[in-house]
Amino acid sequence: MNPKQFLSPAIRFFIAILFLVSAFVKTLPVQSFELTIVAQGLADWDMAPFLARIILALEFLTGIAFLQKRFLKYLFVPGAILLLLIFNAHLVYMMITMVNIDNCGCFGQALPMTPFQAILKNLIMIGMLVSLYYLKGSFTEGEKPFTYHILLPAAVYGFVVGGMFIIYP
């Protein structure tokens, strides 16, 4: 068996599970994730529910995206890397400005992680995503970057964000 045939789906599945679990456990309850956002100074209580649901929708959509094969090379892998880099920048900022942080909120209250542990996790995930990018090879048949196909992921994201506000009003 070719290592690419095993490694690429394994990485995709692992990344998908991490993003989906992260999104799910932050909803148990979603108010504690909102409290984390307010405590970290990202938003006030008026904006925290919106920011929480946008972050949850991003993580959920990213997890779902890695369960399928389309748009990976030019949309979802770079998007996930960018998302993890933004999370890392925030974690570094937290480490510099806040003292004695026991839980960064990366996995909600279910799995407390320090910012340093979360940065390490994110760096490992970025390494896996970079390897997935090179394992993917060229674009799949009929798939060209930045064509009208970009509307499908955008529409799905809009649906997921709307669903987050319906499920967690």
Side-chain angles (χ1 to χ4, degrees):
M1 176 182 235
N2 185 357
K4 277 186 173 182
Q5 290 175 331
F6 170 74
L7 207 52
S8 180
I11 292 172
R12 280 188 18 245
F13 183 72
F14 184 74
I15 296 290
I17 294 299
L18 279 176
F19 275 107
L20 289 172
V21 167
S22 175
F24 177 72
V25 297
K26 286 177 185 163
T27 64
L28 304 173
V30 72
Q31 291 81 7
S32 68
F33 182 53
E34 294 169 4
L35 175 63
T36 302
I37 289 173
V38 172
Q40 293 176 359
L42 293 173
D44 60 6
W45 277 110
D46 294 331
M47 291 303 297
F50 297 104
L51 184 58
R53 281 144 184 87
I54 288 170
I55 292 170
L56 290 171
L58 272 172
E59 287 185 341
F60 183 75
L61 177 67
T62 304
I64 293 295
F66 280 94
L67 292 177
Q68 55 86 45
K69 295 180 183 178
R70 297 200 44 94
F71 310 110
L72 282 175
K73 177 120 175 140
Y74 68 90
L75 182 63
F76 293 124
V77 169
I81 290 172
L82 178 64
L83 188 62
L84 290 171
L85 288 173
I86 291 169
F87 288 162
N88 274 356
H90 172 66
L91 291 166
V92 168
Y93 174 76
M94 280 177 51
M95 287 175 61
I96 293 171
T97 59
M98 298 178 167
V99 181
N100 295 332
I101 304 166
D102 294 336
N103 187 5
C104 65
C106 297
F107 280 99
Q109 303 301 320
L111 179 63
M113 295 179 80
T114 65
F116 182 73
Q117 292 170 331
I119 288 172
L120 288 178
K121 173 197 60 88
N122 289 346
L123 290 176
I124 291 169
M125 286 176 66
I126 288 171
M128 293 172 72
L129 287 165
V130 168
S131 66
L132 179 64
Y133 184 85
Y134 288 108
L135 284 172
K136 267 313 268 177
S138 61
F139 296 106
T140 59
E141 183 64 33
E143 186 177 14
K144 301 287 187 241
F146 307 113
T147 61
Y148 69 93
H149 294 294
I150 199 82
L151 294 176
L152 177 63
V156 169
Y157 178 70
F159 179 75
V160 169
V161 169
M164 288 292 170
F165 285 99
I166 292 170
I167 294 170
Y168 303 105

